[in-house]
Amino acid sequence: FGERERARAGGGAKMLRQGGKSTSFVSGNRKTIHTTFSDGGELVEEYDVKTDELLLRKQRARTKLGGEGKWEYLVGDAPVHFNPEVSTIVESSSNPVFTRKDTDRFFQWRIRNLPYPAENYDISIDHADGKVVIRTKNKKYYKRIEIPEMRRLEADLIEGALSWHHANNTLVVSYQKPAEILDLEAKDKVERKKMHQSATQQDGDVQCNQQ
Protein backbone atom coordinates (compact mmCIF):
# COMPACT_ATOMS: atom_id res chain seq x y z
CA PHE A 1 0.00 0.00 0.00
CA GLY A 2 1.04 3.58 -0.67
CA GLU A 3 0.44 6.38 1.82
CA ARG A 4 -2.87 7.31 0.14
CA GLU A 5 -4.14 3.73 0.34
CA ARG A 6 -3.09 3.44 4.00
CA ALA A 7 -4.90 6.66 4.79
CA ARG A 8 -8.04 5.41 3.07
CA ALA A 9 -7.86 2.19 5.07
CA GLY A 10 -8.09 4.22 8.26
CA GLY A 11 -10.76 6.73 9.11
CA GLY A 12 -10.72 10.47 9.68
CA ALA A 13 -8.19 11.42 12.34
CA LYS A 14 -7.14 7.77 12.49
CA MET A 15 -5.07 8.37 9.36
CA LEU A 16 -2.83 10.57 11.51
CA ARG A 17 -2.48 7.70 14.00
CA GLN A 18 -1.48 5.16 11.36
CA GLY A 19 1.54 3.14 12.40
CA GLY A 20 1.25 4.09 16.06
CA LYS A 21 -0.12 2.54 19.24
CA SER A 22 -3.11 4.39 20.69
CA THR A 23 -4.41 4.44 24.26
CA SER A 24 -7.64 6.22 25.18
CA PHE A 25 -9.02 7.39 28.50
CA VAL A 26 -11.89 9.54 29.74
CA SER A 27 -11.37 12.22 32.35
CA GLY A 28 -14.22 14.55 33.26
CA ASN A 29 -15.88 15.72 30.06
CA ARG A 30 -12.90 14.97 27.83
CA LYS A 31 -11.80 11.83 26.04
CA THR A 32 -8.09 11.71 25.28
CA ILE A 33 -6.42 9.52 22.67
CA HIS A 34 -2.64 9.29 23.10
CA THR A 35 -0.71 7.72 20.24
CA THR A 36 2.98 6.82 20.36
CA PHE A 37 5.14 5.89 17.36
CA SER A 38 8.22 3.73 17.02
CA ASP A 39 10.40 6.76 16.27
CA GLY A 40 9.43 8.34 19.61
CA GLY A 41 6.86 10.70 18.16
CA GLU A 42 3.57 11.37 19.95
CA LEU A 43 0.08 12.50 18.97
CA VAL A 44 -2.50 13.62 21.53
CA GLU A 45 -6.16 14.29 20.71
CA GLU A 46 -8.92 15.47 23.04
CA TYR A 47 -12.64 15.16 22.25
CA ASP A 48 -15.72 16.39 24.06
CA VAL A 49 -17.36 13.30 25.57
CA LYS A 50 -20.91 14.48 24.86
CA THR A 51 -20.57 16.15 21.44
CA ASP A 52 -17.50 14.30 20.11
CA GLU A 53 -16.10 17.69 19.05
CA LEU A 54 -12.34 17.75 18.52
CA LEU A 55 -11.02 20.18 21.13
CA LEU A 56 -7.27 19.65 20.84
CA ARG A 57 -4.74 17.90 18.64
CA LYS A 58 -1.01 18.23 19.22
CA GLN A 59 2.07 16.31 18.12
CA ARG A 60 5.75 16.24 18.87
CA ALA A 61 8.81 14.43 17.59
CA ARG A 62 12.06 13.46 19.22
CA THR A 63 14.91 15.93 18.91
CA LYS A 64 18.10 15.02 17.05
CA LEU A 65 19.66 14.21 20.43
CA GLY A 66 16.76 11.93 21.38
CA GLY A 67 15.06 14.29 23.81
CA GLU A 68 11.41 15.28 23.86
CA GLY A 69 10.59 17.95 21.30
CA LYS A 70 8.16 20.82 21.69
CA TRP A 71 4.47 20.23 21.16
CA GLU A 72 3.09 21.47 17.85
CA TYR A 73 -0.58 22.38 18.20
CA LEU A 74 -2.54 21.32 15.10
CA VAL A 75 -6.00 22.02 16.54
CA GLY A 76 -6.85 24.17 19.55
CA ASP A 77 -4.85 26.76 21.48
CA ALA A 78 -1.48 26.20 23.06
CA PRO A 79 -1.42 27.11 26.77
CA VAL A 80 0.16 30.45 27.63
CA HIS A 81 2.81 30.28 30.33
CA PHE A 82 4.68 33.19 31.89
CA ASN A 83 7.35 32.85 34.53
CA PRO A 84 8.31 36.30 35.87
CA GLU A 85 11.53 34.88 37.32
CA VAL A 86 12.96 33.97 33.92
CA SER A 87 10.91 36.14 31.55
CA THR A 88 11.40 39.85 31.19
CA ILE A 89 9.05 40.56 28.31
CA VAL A 90 5.40 39.56 28.26
CA GLU A 91 4.10 38.77 24.80
CA SER A 92 1.79 41.54 23.73
CA SER A 93 -1.89 40.67 23.89
CA SER A 94 -2.30 42.53 20.61
CA ASN A 95 -0.10 40.11 18.66
CA PRO A 96 -1.89 37.92 16.09
CA VAL A 97 -3.05 34.60 17.58
CA PHE A 98 -3.38 31.66 15.18
CA THR A 99 -5.51 28.62 15.98
CA ARG A 100 -7.29 25.84 14.11
CA LYS A 101 -10.80 24.79 15.11
CA ASP A 102 -12.65 22.69 12.54
CA THR A 103 -16.37 22.40 11.90
CA ASP A 104 -18.24 19.36 10.58
CA ARG A 105 -17.79 20.49 6.96
CA PHE A 106 -14.70 22.68 7.02
CA PHE A 107 -11.09 22.76 8.09
CA GLN A 108 -11.00 26.18 9.71
CA TRP A 109 -8.38 28.56 11.07
CA ARG A 110 -8.84 31.76 13.07
CA ILE A 111 -6.28 34.53 13.39
CA ARG A 112 -7.26 36.96 16.11
CA ASN A 113 -5.89 40.49 16.55
CA LEU A 114 -5.76 41.35 12.84
CA PRO A 115 -7.29 44.85 12.69
CA TYR A 116 -6.68 45.52 9.00
CA PRO A 117 -9.63 45.97 6.60
CA ALA A 118 -10.81 43.03 4.49
CA GLU A 119 -9.30 44.40 1.26
CA ASN A 120 -5.84 44.10 2.82
CA TYR A 121 -5.87 40.27 2.89
CA ASP A 122 -4.70 37.94 0.14
CA ILE A 123 -5.55 34.26 0.74
CA SER A 124 -4.44 31.76 -1.88
CA ILE A 125 -3.17 28.22 -2.48
CA ASP A 126 0.42 27.37 -3.26
CA HIS A 127 -0.10 24.34 -5.47
CA ALA A 128 3.61 23.55 -5.67
CA ASP A 129 3.76 23.20 -1.88
CA GLY A 130 0.16 22.11 -1.19
CA LYS A 131 -0.43 24.84 1.38
CA VAL A 132 -2.87 27.66 2.06
CA VAL A 133 -1.07 31.01 2.10
CA ILE A 134 -2.24 34.04 4.06
CA ARG A 135 -0.58 37.40 3.46
CA THR A 136 -1.45 41.03 3.96
CA LYS A 137 -0.78 43.68 1.34
CA ASN A 138 0.79 45.88 4.00
CA LYS A 139 3.23 43.02 4.78
CA LYS A 140 2.20 42.91 8.46
CA TYR A 141 1.22 39.22 8.50
CA TYR A 142 2.26 36.11 6.59
CA LYS A 143 1.34 32.48 7.24
CA ARG A 144 1.58 29.19 5.34
CA ILE A 145 -0.86 26.47 6.42
CA GLU A 146 -0.55 22.76 5.82
CA ILE A 147 -3.56 20.45 6.12
CA PRO A 148 -2.07 17.15 7.36
CA GLU A 149 -5.20 15.15 6.49
CA MET A 150 -5.08 16.29 2.86
CA ARG A 151 -1.34 15.66 2.74
CA ARG A 152 -1.79 12.08 3.95
CA LEU A 153 -4.39 11.50 1.24
CA GLU A 154 -2.07 13.06 -1.33
CA ALA A 155 -5.05 15.20 -2.33
CA ASP A 156 -4.57 18.46 -4.22
CA LEU A 157 -6.00 21.66 -2.78
CA ILE A 158 -8.46 23.56 -4.96
CA GLU A 159 -9.39 27.25 -4.94
CA GLY A 160 -13.11 26.54 -5.06
CA ALA A 161 -13.00 24.94 -1.59
CA LEU A 162 -11.23 27.94 -0.02
CA SER A 163 -13.17 30.81 1.56
CA TRP A 164 -12.58 33.49 4.19
CA HIS A 165 -14.10 36.43 5.97
CA HIS A 166 -12.94 39.12 8.35
CA ALA A 167 -14.88 40.64 11.26
CA ASN A 168 -14.16 41.93 14.77
CA ASN A 169 -10.38 41.92 14.16
CA THR A 170 -10.49 38.19 13.39
CA LEU A 171 -9.68 36.56 10.06
CA VAL A 172 -11.47 33.24 9.54
CA VAL A 173 -10.15 31.00 6.75
CA SER A 174 -12.08 27.86 5.78
CA TYR A 175 -11.37 24.96 3.48
CA GLN A 176 -14.29 22.69 2.60
CA LYS A 177 -13.59 19.07 3.42
CA PRO A 178 -13.85 16.80 0.36
CA ALA A 179 -16.28 13.87 0.40
CA GLU A 180 -13.42 11.43 1.00
CA ILE A 181 -12.42 13.22 4.21
CA LEU A 182 -16.03 13.37 5.42
CA ASP A 183 -16.39 9.63 4.84
CA LEU A 184 -13.18 8.86 6.73
CA GLU A 185 -14.19 11.11 9.63
CA ALA A 186 -17.58 9.39 9.86
CA LYS A 187 -15.84 6.02 10.13
CA ASP A 188 -13.46 7.34 12.78
CA LYS A 189 -16.38 8.76 14.76
CA VAL A 190 -17.94 5.28 14.93
CA GLU A 191 -14.66 3.84 16.19
CA ARG A 192 -14.29 6.57 18.81
CA LYS A 193 -17.82 5.91 20.01
CA LYS A 194 -16.93 2.27 20.55
CA MET A 195 -13.82 3.32 22.43
CA HIS A 196 -15.94 5.62 24.63
CA GLN A 197 -18.47 2.89 25.38
CA SER A 198 -15.64 0.58 26.40
CA ALA A 199 -14.02 3.28 28.52
CA THR A 200 -17.15 4.01 30.56
CA GLN A 201 -18.22 0.46 31.34
CA GLN A 202 -16.44 0.52 34.70
CA ASP A 203 -16.78 2.92 37.62
CA GLY A 204 -14.22 5.65 38.08
CA ASP A 205 -13.21 8.85 36.37
CA VAL A 206 -10.49 7.38 34.19
CA GLN A 207 -10.54 4.10 32.29
CA CYS A 208 -7.96 3.17 29.70
CA ASN A 209 -8.57 1.39 26.42
CA GLN A 210 -5.88 0.40 23.93
CA GLN A 211 -6.04 0.12 20.17
Side-chain angles (χ1 to χ4, degrees):
F1 284 117
E3 186 169 7
R4 183 181 179 89
E5 285 71 22
R6 287 195 296 270
R8 281 173 168 170
K14 187 176 180 180
M15 71 179 82
L16 301 179
R17 305 182 212 118
Q18 294 256 335
K21 182 178 181 180
S22 297
T23 300
S24 70
F25 62 89
V26 175
S27 179
N29 62 351
R30 293 198 175 202
K31 175 172 57 183
T32 298
I33 301 176
H34 183 206
T35 304
T36 56
F37 300 91
S38 58
D39 61 0
E42 296 176 78
L43 176 71
V44 174
E45 299 160 289
E46 294 183 1
Y47 294 85
D48 185 286
V49 170
K50 293 183 179 180
T51 67
D52 199 46
E53 176 187 1
L54 176 61
L55 304 173
L56 177 75
R57 177 181 290 142
K58 62 182 181 179
Q59 66 180 11
R60 67 179 175 184
R62 289 285 181 180
T63 65
K64 293 181 179 179
L65 298 177
E68 292 184 343
K70 293 183 178 180
W71 287 109
E72 176 188 4
Y73 285 77
L74 305 177
V75 176
D77 291 318
V80 178
H81 300 291
F82 174 68
N83 186 341
E85 295 182 358
V86 297
S87 301
T88 58
I89 299 176
V90 180
E91 184 177 1
S92 172
S93 60
S94 63
N95 286 345
V97 177
F98 176 87
T99 186
R100 172 177 160 180
K101 188 175 177 62
D102 296 347
T103 69
D104 289 342
R105 297 179 54 242
F106 293 91
F107 299 114
Q108 193 169 89
W109 306 268
R110 295 174 179 268
I111 305 96
R112 302 190 296 274
N113 298 331
L114 286 182
Y116 318 114
E119 57 268 20
N120 190 56
Y121 301 99
D122 180 13
I123 291 88
S124 61
I125 292 174
D126 182 344
H127 292 283
D129 202 23
K131 294 182 179 180
V132 176
V133 181
I134 302 173
R135 56 168 58 89
T136 57
K137 296 178 182 177
N138 63 2
K139 303 184 186 304
K140 296 293 186 180
Y141 187 81
Y142 181 81
K143 183 76 174 179
R144 301 176 68 84
I145 306 172
E146 181 179 51
I147 309 177
E149 295 88 341
M150 298 291 287
R151 178 79 71 180
R152 290 294 296 270
L153 283 177
E154 299 179 357
D156 294 330
L157 303 184
I158 58 175
E159 279 83 358
L162 184 65
S163 61
W164 64 274
H165 68 272
H166 181 268
N168 301 319
N169 291 339
T170 300
L171 178 68
V172 180
V173 179
S174 304
Y175 188 88
Q176 186 172 1
K177 297 175 182 177
E180 190 170 13
I181 289 287
L182 294 176
D183 180 58
L184 291 172
E185 288 186 343
K187 292 177 180 177
D188 191 51
K189 184 174 183 178
V190 172
E191 291 194 17
R192 289 199 307 273
K193 186 176 181 181
K194 292 178 181 177
M195 293 171 69
H196 171 56
Q197 289 172 342
S198 173
T200 56
Q201 283 177 353
Q202 299 182 20
D203 294 334
D205 190 43
V206 176
Q207 174 69 30
C208 292
N209 178 40
Q210 290 191 343
Q211 267 191 336

